Amino acid sequence: MRLTTNNDRIAVTAQRSPVWITVLVSAALLLVFSLDRATAAAPVQHLYYAPIILAGFRFKRRGGAIAALASILLYHLANPHLLTFRYEEQDLVQVALFLTVGVVTAKLAHDRDRLRQLALTDDLTGLHNLRSFEAHLAAMVRAARETQAPLALLVLDVDRLKALNDLDVGEALFRAADAALYRAKASGRHRAWVHDGDGPDGPSDRSGDRSPGQRGQR
C-alpha cells in the first residue's frame, strides 16, 4: 500500500467484500420480485429502490445501472401484462424511477469519494495531508499491536523549506523526496513519512507505505 501518490485512491480501512454485497443485492432483488409477483402492489414495487441504491453506492455507475436494469426485468416478469408492452402510466413512471435512482445514486457515490479524496490530499502536491496521515498512522499502530509486527517511523526534516516554497520548487521537492524514499526502500515491508516542518497550520505531513513490487498499489 503506497500512500504518497496522487494517482492512488484513498485507502479505506474497512471495506466490505464486493462478493457478499453482490449476494445481498441479488437476494434483495429476488425477495422484492417475489413480493411484487404475489401482491402487484405499488408500495411493494418501490422496494426495488433499496437494492438499486446499495449497488449504486458500492459499485458506482455500473452497479447502479445493472441493478436498475435487473429491477426493470424483474418488474416485467412479476407483472406479465407488461411483457406485451401494454404499459400504463404508472408502469412508465416506475421504470423511469428505477433508472433515475440508479443514476443519481451512482453520481452521489462518485461525489462522496471525490470529496473524501479532496479532504485527505494536498491540492498542490497530490500527496496525503495531515488528516490522512493521522488516520492511517492510528490504523497502522492498531494493526501492529494486533499482529505483534514491528512498526518504524521515519521523520525527515527539510531545511529552508519556506525559501524553497518562495522559489516555487516546494512541490517538486516533495515529489523528489517521495521518489527517493521509494528508491531507498530496504528489503521487506516498511513504511515512511515525510514531514516538512511547517507546523499545524499547513499541509505538513506526507505519509507512505512501501513494499517491494507494490509501487502504486494497496
Side-chain angles (χ1 to χ4, degrees):
M1 179 172 65
R2 187 180 181 194
L3 304 178
T4 57
T5 172
N6 57 349
N7 294 323
D8 287 347
R9 291 175 178 267
I10 300 300
V12 179
T13 55
Q15 278 200 348
R16 296 176 176 82
S17 169
V19 175
W20 82 262
I21 293 291
T22 302
V23 172
L24 181 60
V25 170
S26 301
L29 286 172
L30 292 176
L31 176 61
V32 177
F33 165 72
S34 299
L35 294 174
D36 185 16
R37 184 171 59 179
T39 63
V44 172
Q45 294 163 357
H46 294 328
L47 295 177
Y48 283 110
Y49 303 151
I52 295 175
I53 292 173
L54 178 59
F57 269 115
R58 183 60 182 85
F59 302 112
K60 309 301 189 316
R61 183 177 302 175
R62 180 177 298 181
I66 292 176
L69 293 176
S71 297
I72 293 173
L73 175 61
L74 294 175
Y75 177 64
H76 281 69
L77 294 177
N79 301 273
H81 71 278
L82 298 177
L83 297 177
T84 60
F85 300 104
R86 292 180 301 187
Y87 295 106
E88 297 180 2
E89 181 179 355
Q90 66 178 16
D91 297 322
L92 294 175
V93 171
Q94 195 68 271
V95 169
L97 285 175
F98 289 156
L99 293 173
T100 301
V101 169
V103 171
V104 171
T105 301
K107 181 64 168 59
L108 290 175
H110 177 270
D111 292 344
R112 174 203 60 191
D113 291 344
R114 178 60 178 161
L115 289 173
R116 180 186 293 121
Q117 183 179 18
L118 291 174
L120 297 179
T121 56
D122 175 60
D123 291 339
L124 182 60
T125 63
L127 304 180
H128 285 233
N129 58 20
L130 177 60
R131 182 183 293 109
S132 177
F133 170 82
E134 291 178 338
H136 285 98
L137 178 60
M140 291 174 184
V141 171
R142 286 195 302 269
R145 287 175 176 172
E146 292 172 359
T147 61
Q148 298 298 312
L151 178 64
L153 176 65
L154 172 65
V155 179
L156 301 182
D157 185 11
V158 180
D159 294 331
R160 300 187 179 90
L161 182 60
K162 185 179 186 305
L164 293 173
N165 275 332
D166 292 340
L167 297 176
D168 295 328
V169 295
E171 177 183 357
L173 176 64
F174 277 123
R175 294 187 180 280
D178 179 56
L181 286 172
Y182 177 77
R183 290 194 300 268
K185 68 181 184 296
S187 60
R189 189 177 183 84
H190 73 280
R191 301 176 171 89
W193 290 268
V194 180
H195 176 62
D196 64 15
D198 274 351
D201 294 331
S204 58
D205 289 76
R206 309 293 183 261
S207 58
D209 178 2
R210 305 281 196 262
S211 59
Q214 289 186 320
R215 188 173 186 178
Q217 299 180 3
R218 286 199 289 287

